[in-house]
Amino acid sequence: MKSLIKVLRTEDIDRRSRAKVKRIYSSNLLIVDEVGYLPITAVEGNLFFQLFSDLQEKTSIILTTNKGFEEWTEFLGDAALATAILDRLSYRCDKIQIDGKSYRLENRKSFLVTEEKNNGKKKAV
């Protein structure tokens, strides 16, 4: 998400960003990871909205987020904008909610647990 917002913000002044945006608009699939982890400004929210408004009905979009729809106003900072974006995103979509343990946390736990050589007990480092 952070990279996408940076590209959208700098499209008018950076040739590389302009090329990336052009590639996004010509893509069949856009995947945006970590939506909502960090709040965005009103300008960034408007750019985000414009992107999804333009891509609606043209490109498949996958978003990952840890925020429920009711929490989008918080990180976008604007209830009307959140409603407009969610309206476009939820039209003709499938929502898949995954509950369970974090893979990253489980992997971290196994990294932190070592087996003592002498008695075979597991010990956290």
Side-chain angles (χ1 to χ4, degrees), residues 94-121:
D94 291 316
K95 178 183 169 188
I96 301 170
Q97 184 170 341
I98 301 173
D99 295 317
K101 295 179 181 178
S102 166
Y103 171 77
R104 290 181 184 114
L105 289 178
E106 284 298 314
N107 190 34
R108 183 72 180 159
K109 285 179 187 174
S110 66
F111 174 74
L112 293 174
V113 175
T114 62
E115 194 170 319
E116 286 185 337
K117 292 181 181 177
N118 294 340
N119 58 11
K121 293 182 182 177

Side-chain angles (χ1 to χ4, degrees), residues 32-87:
V32 184
D33 192 22
E34 298 182 347
V35 174
Y37 285 88
L38 299 172
I40 59 177
T41 67
V43 170
E44 293 166 344
N46 287 326
L47 291 169
F48 192 60
F49 168 77
Q50 188 61 51
L51 176 68
F52 287 108
S53 183
D54 292 345
L55 292 178
Q56 182 183 7
E57 302 274 342
K58 297 176 188 173
T59 302
S60 296
I61 299 170
I62 296 174
L63 298 177
T64 67
T65 183
N66 67 344
K67 302 286 185 187
F69 287 161
E70 64 282 353
E71 297 173 276
W72 279 52
T73 299
E74 181 182 324
F75 80 87
L76 288 170
D78 183 337
L81 182 62
T83 300
I85 290 174
L86 289 171
D87 178 57

Side-chain angles (χ1 to χ4, degrees), residues 7-20:
V7 166
L8 294 174
R9 283 190 68 103
T10 59
E11 175 187 12
D12 293 335
I13 59 172
D14 183 27
R15 179 176 40 90
R16 290 173 298 194
S17 292
R18 198 170 19 262
K20 287 178 183 179

